[in-house]
Amino acid sequence: MALLFHLSNQVRTILIAIITVVTLLGIMLRPWKMNEAQVALLGAALLLLLGLITPQKALFTLVGDWNTFFFFLGMMSLSALAEVAGLFDWLAFQAARLSGSSARRLFFNTFLLGTLISMFLSNDATALILTPIVYTLVTRLRLPILPFLFACTFIADTASFLLPVSNPINIIVTSRFPLDLWAFLRLLFLPSLLVIGLNIGIFFLLYRRQLSGHFDLKRLPNLEETIGHKTYFRYTCGVLICVGVAYIVASATQFPLSLVTLGGALLLLIGALGWKQITISKLGKQLSWSIFGFIAGMFIVVQALESTGLTTQFGQLLLHLSGNTPLGAVMVGTLGSALGTNLINNVPMAVVLTSSLQSVQHSSLAVQHGFVAATIFGCDLGPNLTTVGSLATVLWLLILRQRNLDVSGWDYFKVGIITTPLLLIVGALTIWLLL
């Protein structure tokens, strides 16, 4: 009987491992034009149908990760309502006016604007909102388009670990491994500034010839044309400033950041409805609901995998490879997460790693912090190597295709391979020094 039980456990482990691998491959390859959410939910449904995870356990897993779901909802709503106010158009036109007709200065300002949006509204907001605005801007100014569009997608991820709210990945990791605001900033803020500076410098070298010209400011419309309703615009600016302050307070006190984003989104929605700038149905259409299915499916799949003990063994392997040292933890964590994000996307990789790193909790605090910071860093910045690494890059590609611009995976990789490895090495060494 014991042998039968042992064999049944072996069969269960093998089945869960196979379904997990097939799910991850499906996310990467997207067969039959399925999107990532459909693949993840199909994997979760198969686990439930075969009894490899109970409905109660699946429900408990999803409820336990409420902070992640609410953060996505609040962040997407904040971004959509700020866009309705014309805030991002206004910022882009200000960046053009402050560039003094210099293409190089406008390129630099695009990086700064992307950094600002990623810092407070997440990297997905930068890709989704800044890309079409910059495309319209540089088209009107008759400047080379691709350097500016590459700036949008790269800075979205490069600046996505300035604050805990700068990337949903940060919320996924810190929900399992709480880092107070000081610890997060101490380990990741300076590396972020360094890689942002390096990213800008490399891009200026890559595109120096295309950015040597000037443009005519008269091609831009009047500044008033970018703002539909002045009162709602001012109200939006005020609310976002309050949200920014609330982020800092919430991060410092470890208050759930999702509640801050939801509160800010609710205030903007009340204003938008009051001034008749949007309707509930229109806002609903602007939100990417499939992301919730993607995350829910991945949480269930990884929870089933975790129950087999395989993620614990993976965590122990990472600890062994690191030599249980801070330098090893940072290097192994950065390399592993960066490679994984470019194979299966950074959301499932972050979920797998946060499960696996439970096994390093008996290590020294420096090793634990090294692995956690490296996981955030590798999953945030690593996707800049290929087009499949992050949701932000996928959104960027879709926006380009809607405008009849085709950037192949090889074209993207040629830029990514020049930029990303150097940024990963510099950032990882800086994190190690800060430990």
Side-chain angles (χ1 to χ4, degrees):
M1 186 71 178
L3 178 61
L4 181 62
F5 179 76
H6 179 66
L7 287 174
S8 66
N9 271 345
Q10 281 188 328
V11 171
R12 179 177 177 275
T13 298
I14 291 170
L15 285 173
I16 290 174
I18 290 172
I19 292 171
T20 301
V21 170
V22 171
T23 301
L24 294 175
L25 285 172
I27 289 169
M28 181 174 63
L29 300 174
R30 286 177 288 171
W32 305 295
K33 297 183 179 180
M34 296 174 70
N35 62 39
E36 293 86 352
Q38 291 170 329
V39 175
L41 287 172
L42 187 61
L46 193 56
L47 290 169
L48 287 165
L49 286 172
L50 295 176
L52 298 172
I53 187 171
T54 65
Q56 294 86 349
K57 186 65 176 176
L59 180 62
F60 181 78
T61 299
L62 298 182
V63 172
D65 286 299
W66 63 270
N67 189 40
T68 302
F69 291 103
F70 283 164
F71 178 79
F72 268 98
L73 178 60
M75 191 56 65
M76 285 192 295
S77 301
L78 270 177
S79 301
L81 291 164
E83 185 180 14
V84 168
L87 177 63
F88 303 114
D89 284 306
W90 183 83
L91 288 172
F93 285 121
Q94 289 286 19
R97 293 177 187 280
L98 291 172
S99 65
S101 301
S102 167
R104 288 181 178 176
R105 210 170 300 164
L106 178 59
F107 191 61
F108 179 74
N109 287 346
T110 301
F111 271 101
L112 292 183
L113 183 54
T115 299
L116 182 66
I117 296 174
S118 286
M119 185 175 182
F120 291 105
L121 291 174
S122 86
N123 61 328
D124 297 330
T126 301
L128 189 61
I129 294 167
L130 185 63
T131 303
I133 291 171
V134 168
Y135 172 83
T136 302
L137 187 68
V138 296
T139 302
R140 282 178 173 172
L141 296 175
R142 298 182 182 177
L143 293 171
I145 296 173
L146 281 181
F148 288 90
L149 294 182
F150 270 114
C152 290
T153 183
F154 270 75
I155 196 59
D157 288 334
T158 304
S160 67
F161 47 99
L162 280 164
L163 290 176
V165 296
S166 302
N167 194 325
I169 295 298
N170 305 347
I171 304 299
I172 291 174
V173 177
T174 55
S175 292
R176 289 282 190 100
F177 298 92
L179 285 178
D180 59 52
L181 180 62
W182 166 244
F184 188 98
L185 294 178
R186 181 175 64 84
L187 294 174
L188 290 164
F189 191 79
L190 179 59
S192 186
L193 293 180
L194 285 175
V195 298
I196 288 170
L198 270 175
N199 196 166
I200 294 172
I202 293 170
F203 269 41
F204 265 102
L205 286 174
L206 284 176
Y207 300 113
R208 60 189 181 278
R209 292 180 181 175
Q210 299 178 52
L211 298 171
S212 59
H214 290 74
F215 57 86
D216 186 1
L217 278 171
K218 294 178 180 178
R219 297 185 185 279
L220 296 179
N222 294 327
L223 198 58
E224 289 75 17
E225 294 179 27
T226 64
I227 303 170
H229 192 286
K230 291 183 180 179
T231 306
Y232 178 60
F233 175 82
R234 296 191 193 99
Y235 174 79
T236 299
C237 292
V239 169
L240 290 178
I241 290 170
C242 292
V243 168
V245 174
Y247 278 156
I248 297 171
V249 175
S251 298
T253 59
Q254 295 190 318
F255 183 79
L257 290 169
S258 62
L259 299 183
V260 176
T261 61
L262 281 175
L266 182 60
L267 288 174
L268 286 186
L269 179 59
I270 291 170
L273 292 174
W275 283 298
K276 298 180 180 179
Q277 297 300 296
I278 202 171
T279 61
I280 298 290
S281 61
K282 187 177 180 182
L283 176 62
K285 291 176 182 177
Q286 290 183 253
L287 304 184
S288 178
W289 295 104
S290 64
I291 189 66
F292 297 105
F294 177 47
I295 297 170
M298 283 312 307
F299 278 153
I300 293 171
V301 170
V302 173
Q303 178 59 49
L305 188 68
E306 189 175 322
S307 69
T308 67
L310 289 175
T311 56
T312 300
Q313 292 176 31
F314 182 54
Q316 290 170 348
L317 174 63
L318 292 176
L319 190 62
H320 174 72
L321 292 173
S322 72
N324 204 14
T325 63
L327 176 60
V330 173
M331 291 304 174
V332 169
T334 299
L335 179 63
S337 56
L339 288 175
T341 57
N342 288 290
L343 290 174
I344 61 172
N345 188 272
N346 60 352
V347 171
M349 192 63 200
V351 177
V352 170
L353 281 173
T354 51
S355 175
S356 300
L357 292 182
Q358 299 289 333
S359 61
V360 307
Q361 290 185 336
H362 63 276
S363 302
S364 67
L365 190 62
V367 170
Q368 290 181 49
H369 279 179
F371 268 119
V372 173
T375 298
I376 292 172
F377 175 61
C379 287
D380 284 5
L381 180 63
N384 273 344
L385 192 60
T386 65
T387 56
V388 298
S390 74
L391 176 63
T393 310
V394 173
L395 291 171
W396 178 81
L397 279 173
L398 290 173
I399 292 166
L400 264 58
R401 286 170 189 160
Q402 289 169 357
R403 287 154 179 79
N404 297 316
L405 283 174
D406 187 25
V407 175
S408 68
W410 175 245
D411 290 334
Y412 193 95
F413 180 75
K414 286 190 292 185
V415 179
I417 196 64
I418 294 171
T419 310
T420 308
L422 177 61
L423 269 56
L424 286 170
I425 292 169
V426 170
L429 288 174
T430 307
I431 292 171
W432 169 62
L433 291 172
L434 292 169
L435 284 171

